């Protein structure tokens, strides 16, 4: 018998996006997919976004490590929703979906965007089932190059 799925949440965000906007999007995406926040084992993003307070904040709120990947690594991950605008801005056609899938696994929730009132969306997230269960016990930032 297998336990609940280990989940990886991929997140992309514009500079300065509030923590609450990131947390709200991630928790809503999990809830609407019938997934438990307790099963999230890491938050993953692009290395140049790893210092964004909103992304750091959601990993802290979930009590899981933040894993950061290079643009080259994320660009090598096939995704269902690539974006030319994201490619031009950060050097990879996907941040959220590619980061969720970078460690292997299956995409459960494709890219979703936040819906702030009065301004454009500043956050994207995607959720994948991890191919390897990792312990959420050690929070921090890990940079991945492979």
């Amino acid at each position: 018998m297998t336990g609940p799925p280990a989940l990886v949440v991929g997140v992309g965000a514009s500079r300065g996006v509030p923590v609450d906007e990131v947390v709200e999007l991630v928790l809503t995406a999990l809830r609407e997919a019938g997934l438990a926040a307790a099963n999230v084992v890491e938050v993953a993003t692009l290395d140049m976004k790893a210092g964004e307070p909103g992304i750091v904040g959601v990993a802290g709120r979930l009590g899981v490590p933040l894993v950061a990947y290079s643009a080259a690594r994320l660009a090598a991950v096939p995704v269902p929703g690539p974006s030319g605008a994201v490619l031009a801005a950060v050097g990879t056609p996907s941040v959220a979906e590619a980061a969720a899938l970078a460690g292997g696994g299956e995409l459960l929730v494709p890219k979703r965007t936040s819906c702030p009132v009065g301004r454009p969306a500043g956050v994207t997230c995607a959720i994948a089932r991890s191919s390897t269960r990792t312990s959420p016990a050690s929070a921090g930032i890990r940079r991945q190059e492979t």
Side-chain angles (χ1 to χ4, degrees), residues 7-120:
L7 305 172
V8 175
V9 176
V11 179
S14 299
R15 182 166 295 156
V17 170
V19 174
D20 289 345
E21 185 175 339
V22 181
V23 170
E24 180 180 343
L25 177 64
V26 168
L27 293 180
T28 299
L30 287 163
R31 183 181 65 251
E32 289 179 357
L35 302 168
N39 294 334
V40 175
V41 296
E42 68 185 37
V43 170
T45 194
L46 176 64
D47 57 4
M48 67 173 46
K49 297 293 183 176
E52 282 297 320
I55 296 175
V56 172
V58 77
R61 185 85 58 92
L62 293 170
V64 299
L66 175 59
V67 177
Y69 294 97
S70 69
R73 173 66 180 105
L74 294 183
V77 177
V79 296
S83 165
V86 173
L87 176 61
V90 296
T92 176
S94 172
V95 174
E97 289 177 334
L101 291 167
E106 168 193 5
L107 191 64
L108 299 178
V109 178
K111 174 178 60 180
R112 295 181 52 147
T113 58
S114 59
C115 301
V117 176
R119 65 176 175 76

